Amino acid sequence: MPQLAVAEPAELGFDSARLQRAYDLLDAWTRSGEVPGGAVAVGRRDRLVAPRFFGRMGPEADAPPIRDDAMFLMASITKPIVYLGAMLLVERGLLTLTDRVTRYLPEFAAHHKDDTLVLHLFTHTSGLPDMLPNNVELRRAHAPLSEYVKAGIRDTVPLFPAGTRLSYQSVGTNLVAEIVRVVDGRPIAQFLREEIFAPLGLKSIGLGSDGFDRRRLVRVQVPDYQDPSFGWNSEYWQGLGAPWGGLFSGPADFAVLCSLMLGGGRVGDVRIASPAVTSAMSRNWLTSLPELPEAVARTQPWGLGWRLHHPGTDDSWGDLLGPQTFGHTGATGTLVWMDPQSGTFCLLLTSAIREKQPWRLKQLSNAVAAAIM
């Protein structure tokens, strides 16, 4: 079982005093109530500094203290793990990124989407909307995942011709998950469990809450449009296993996936993917799209599912990370990044809505980056 060995910060080349500043920041925010709860986990290659947990299990005033086996709603950090699953089909010769989506999902041709490539779904250049127009209605009706898939295939109208602009799209990730199901035969949650999580011996990670004690699931702040019947903390949403944002994970388990990406697809003696896959996922693909503006491709780079750091922009992950760093954020207040140059990784998991105070994650990220020696 390739759980990462735990080491002291200094053993892994982290300045303990500087790293403590990150812990102190999150501790202060959780004690004041500004952030309900959170965890910090950092490591280097195949070793991990023991995760630190702070605050409470939910935003309620009477929520219990956070558990050391807490599992966080990773939100959009789910996406690159779904894309990793799809890339396993690519390396097996079962899926090609330059295929048209209609090869796998014929009904996707509706509304003139014939020319959309699978690659466009991976790089947020498909022209699809971020969310379905009837997203709230589907959630309120407790629709099954298949209804989101059908709407994404048949009903979505592109915002622009595929490959000409960059626009973040959760719908595209859901369609990639459906392509995995069509090609392999297994639903995406089962595929990820059997092809990635189980071989790595990971027991505190999964797409959706099925099989987990709900008392372990950290409850998060929710946007105003969400009511208790379908919000992020509802039994419906937790169990849906949305491929664009429904992954739950403990920090130690997700750290193994970070080590996998930095280790060329292998953790210990367990190989999940080839070095070619992890290399492809973490390099900028936007420069290969001939109709995409050069400035966009240069300053807002995306890999395959993973985003490359956008230094100097509003959505950067901090001021001390280089452009080679790749990772992802989540709306529930989560951030993960990996730096192939130093071999380090960082998991910042909170339960405070990111868009309301994005600077919190940046400040934590700066403190961690400053600790790398």
Side-chain angles (χ1 to χ4, degrees), residues 44-68:
R44 201 170 209 135
R45 298 184 179 89
D46 59 354
R47 291 195 290 172
L48 173 70
V49 177
R52 295 277 299 273
F53 296 84
F54 304 88
R56 308 185 308 278
M57 285 295 294
E60 310 86 6
D62 61 348
I66 200 161
R67 301 163 54 127
D68 59 9

Side-chain angles (χ1 to χ4, degrees), residues 65 79 145 196 239 241 253 266 331 341 343 366:
K79 291 182 173 73
L145 194 57
I196 300 176
D253 275 34
R266 185 176 68 182
Q341 183 170 305
N366 280 344

Side-chain angles (χ1 to χ4, degrees), residues 89-299:
L89 300 183
V90 172
E91 76 166 20
R92 295 169 190 174
L94 301 174
L95 173 66
T96 305
L97 297 182
T98 50
D99 281 339
R100 295 186 180 192
V101 175
T102 52
R103 178 182 175 189
Y104 307 97
L105 308 174
E107 292 185 354
F108 187 72
H111 302 293
H112 307 289
K113 300 192 293 289
D114 315 61
D115 293 333
T116 306
L117 306 181
V118 175
L119 176 63
H120 297 140
L121 301 181
F122 273 71
T123 55
H124 301 279
T125 56
S126 69
L128 295 177
D130 181 24
M131 292 291 180
L132 295 168
N134 61 337
N135 170 57
V136 174
E137 289 75 15
L138 288 171
R139 294 190 188 195
R140 186 168 285 119
H142 289 193
L145 194 57
S146 60
E147 292 299 313
Y148 294 85
V149 172
K150 289 177 184 177
I153 294 173
R154 298 182 310 196
D155 302 334
T156 49
V157 178
L159 305 174
F160 51 84
T164 64
R165 288 173 51 190
L166 175 70
S167 183
Y168 188 78
Q169 36 101 79
S170 296
V171 171
T173 310
N174 197 26
L175 298 188
V176 169
E178 177 64 5
I179 290 173
V180 171
R181 188 197 66 78
V182 168
V183 172
D184 177 80
R186 286 173 287 179
I188 188 64
Q190 180 184 355
F191 183 90
L192 295 178
R193 182 173 64 249
E194 295 177 355
E195 295 288 343
I196 300 176
F197 305 150
L200 290 171
L202 305 182
K203 298 180 179 179
S204 293
I205 188 171
L207 187 57
S209 60
D210 185 39
F212 299 113
D213 182 348
R214 289 188 71 218
R215 292 173 295 183
R216 295 180 61 191
L217 307 183
V218 175
R219 295 180 301 282
V220 299
Q221 295 174 349
V222 299
D224 294 338
Y225 78 88
Q226 294 185 4
D227 67 44
S229 71
F230 68 86
W232 287 332
N233 299 320
S234 68
E235 188 170 359
Y236 161 70
W237 180 258
Q238 291 176 342
L240 183 65
W244 63 91
L247 187 76
F248 285 95
S249 183
D253 275 34
F254 204 93
V256 175
L257 300 181
C258 295
S259 181
L260 176 88
M261 288 299 303
L262 291 170
R266 185 176 68 182
V267 183
D269 59 358
V270 178
R271 177 167 293 284
I272 299 298
S274 66
V277 161
T278 56
S279 175
M281 293 189 73
S282 56
R283 69 170 181 260
N284 184 13
W285 278 73
L286 298 192
T287 55
S288 68
L289 300 178
E291 296 184 75
L292 195 72
E294 183 276 335
V296 172
R298 174 170 45 83
T299 63

